[in-house]
Amino acid sequence: MSDLRIVFTGSPGAGKSTAIAALSEARPVITPVAGKAWPAGMDLGQILLDDGRQVRLLGSPGQRGFDFAWCAVARGALGLVILVDNTRPDPLADLGLHLDGFSEELTDLPCVIGVGRTDECSAPSLDEYSDFLAQQGLVLPVLKVDVRQREDVLQLMDLLLLQLETMAGREGEAHA
Amino acid sequence: MRLSANSQLPSAPKTAGSLYRPPLVSVCNRTKGVVADLRVGVHGLSAPEAGLVRALVVLSSHGGADFRWRFAADGPYDALIVGAAVDAAAPPARFLGWLGDEGTAAPGGMHLLARPLQAAGLEAWLRGLERAISAGAAAPAPVPAPPPESTPAPGPARMLRRWPPEALLRNDPRHLRAAALLARRGLAAHALADQSGLGEHGCRAFLRALDEQGLLGPPAAGSSAVFAPGIASALRARLQP
């Protein structure tokens, strides 16, 4: 069975676990996949499709020290969700860290950015995030999100799936 | 009586106890060295709402020395505030704003000016348009609103050069979907319409708004739209709200 996964990443406390919990139908702590065990501390959720396939929802550790694992978890994934906590001291730097960490994959990997806790701290604004992405040469959906609201998480997924549907060849890879 | 930019303000009446009333069409900015050269008007609004827009434009012109807008009774317009979907009778305008209730989606990708209309919101919108016009250098010809029964040419495929500003997206799910699609592939309006839920007229308006802000470019080499069923559709079926 092919390994189908969507990766959730972001700074600590950005809401990765909450977002996964909003979507997951089951949540093992650690599950071996194709003989490998994911590193400890990585949230795992799953969605069971009607045809029996499983899509894993993988929360990668957001701390800088774990960036070595980011490429490994993102390679071959269906998509990437980057969650940012707008109340942190430098949210744009947090985003930049993850954009750098996944830079090789972002060219062909559907990705969406969710900015949380904007009601507590309105700066940076979404337009500043867009400017920051443009400076990195990236055009990615960025929107406000409250991961405690399933509708917001579903909207992130909708935009992710739209990208997946439009990118040539992704469907072929997913079925490999 | 319409006052031109070079007209002198009428002198205050000398009758004791009378109240001087300045003309409604303000030329104050002319005296401050800023020419009010951008025209904003209304179409399809009630008389009280049209009067409110006019009064707010005047207020803004009094409050800001660099405010370039003036209320105009007839076109062509740089900005036109409408109260219904743009029809064939609407005069041509560069930018369209829709006066509607907060939380509703403005038709055709227009900017929503929420009721009750306030000076700050109107001024912010007009100043944003002013920046867009300035960024566009030479003034483009006014873009007429297409009549509903027209069938324009499909147009070339375009894609986003940067994620659109929040004011243009207005957190409308259809705009977000359209932008997400354009972020990855070059699409023409007719192809964008099916996937975004905006409809072809709405897509054309959205693409026009993106283009006016310099956000669109040619598709990246080798890109093409592929709408393939499979894993994405299976996930969608499972992730129903």
Side-chain angles (χ1 to χ4, degrees):
Chain A
M1 181 181 296
S2 60
D3 174 29
L4 305 173
R5 81 193 96 91
I6 295 173
V7 179
F8 290 74
T9 191
S11 49
K16 298 182 290 295
S17 303
T18 307
I20 291 173
L23 301 173
S24 181
E25 297 166 346
R27 192 172 170 183
V29 175
I30 295 175
T31 300
V33 177
K36 301 176 184 177
W38 295 108
M42 300 179 78
D43 292 324
L44 290 177
Q46 71 175 34
I47 300 172
L48 183 62
L49 303 179
D50 292 341
D51 58 8
R53 290 180 294 175
Q54 286 183 349
V55 176
R56 299 181 187 276
L57 308 176
L58 186 61
S60 71
Q63 298 90 336
R64 182 184 290 272
F66 288 93
D67 50 357
F68 69 94
W70 292 349
C71 288
V73 300
R75 196 168 298 123
L78 295 174
L80 175 69
V81 178
I82 303 177
L83 297 174
V84 183
D85 179 353
N86 222 37
T87 64
R88 281 173 58 87
D90 195 346
L92 289 178
D94 292 340
L95 176 61
L97 176 66
H98 290 84
L99 294 177
D100 287 342
F102 293 97
S103 59
E104 289 187 20
E105 286 70 31
L106 281 175
T107 306
D108 295 315
L109 183 65
C111 177
V112 61
I113 298 163
V115 182
R117 304 179 72 180
T118 55
D119 54 336
E120 299 174 47
C121 184
S122 58
S125 66
L126 289 188
D127 288 351
E128 289 176 275
Y129 280 95
S130 300
D131 288 339
F132 183 78
L133 288 170
Q135 291 167 10
Q136 319 300 317
L138 294 170
V139 183
L140 298 172
V142 56
L143 60 162
K144 295 177 184 176
V145 65
D146 181 350
V147 292
R148 297 168 300 178
Q149 304 297 325
R150 188 168 187 265
E151 294 74 21
D152 285 13
V153 183
L154 288 177
Q155 187 172 50
L156 288 175
M157 292 299 295
D158 178 48
L159 300 183
L160 197 71
L161 294 177
L162 275 175
Q163 295 176 65
L164 181 60
E165 288 164 337
T166 65
M167 294 171 76
R170 293 295 303 182
E171 295 300 298
E173 291 177 26
H175 284 286
Chain B
M1 177 185 72
R2 178 190 294 181
L3 295 177
S4 71
N6 293 321
S7 298
Q8 297 297 317
L9 289 173
S11 54
K14 296 185 172 65
T15 306
S18 64
L19 179 65
Y20 172 66
R21 295 176 187 274
L24 287 178
V25 179
S26 171
V27 297
C28 285
N29 283 341
R30 187 67 178 95
T31 65
K32 300 174 186 177
V34 176
V35 176
D37 60 333
L38 300 178
R39 302 163 62 88
V40 55
V42 298
H43 174 74
L45 300 187
S46 65
E49 286 184 328
L52 174 62
V53 171
R54 190 174 190 178
L56 293 179
V57 171
V58 171
L59 272 174
S60 295
S61 68
H62 280 273
D66 59 344
F67 193 71
R68 291 174 55 192
W69 293 88
R70 61 188 174 99
F71 187 87
D74 47 40
Y77 297 103
D78 297 288
L80 184 68
I81 301 171
V82 300
V86 176
D87 55 29
R94 288 195 203 185
F95 299 98
L96 296 174
W98 188 70
L99 185 63
D101 294 329
E102 189 168 359
T104 57
M110 286 185 277
H111 176 84
L112 172 66
L113 294 163
R115 291 188 178 96
L117 186 61
Q118 298 190 1
L122 177 61
E123 182 172 341
W125 179 57
L126 291 175
R127 287 194 181 275
L129 297 184
E130 185 179 325
R131 286 192 291 274
I133 292 171
S134 298
V143 178
E149 59 274 12
S150 70
T151 52
R158 313 289 296 281
M159 70 185 298
L160 279 176
R161 297 167 59 177
R162 59 154 283 165
W163 188 251
E166 197 176 0
L168 199 153
L169 293 172
R170 299 197 308 273
N171 206 33
D172 184 329
R174 297 168 302 170
H175 288 162
L176 290 168
R177 290 173 61 88
L181 288 163
L182 292 170
R184 288 295 184 172
R185 281 293 178 264
L187 293 169
H190 66 282
L192 187 63
D194 290 338
Q195 291 293 308
S196 65
L198 266 176
E200 192 155 343
H201 182 57
C203 282
R204 292 186 191 283
F206 186 58
L207 287 169
R208 184 166 61 241
L210 291 172
D211 207 14
E212 286 169 349
Q213 296 198 26
L215 299 177
L216 291 178
S223 67
S224 61
V226 175
F227 300 101
I231 192 68
S233 54
L235 270 168
R236 284 191 185 283
R238 203 67 187 170
L239 291 174
Q240 292 299 318

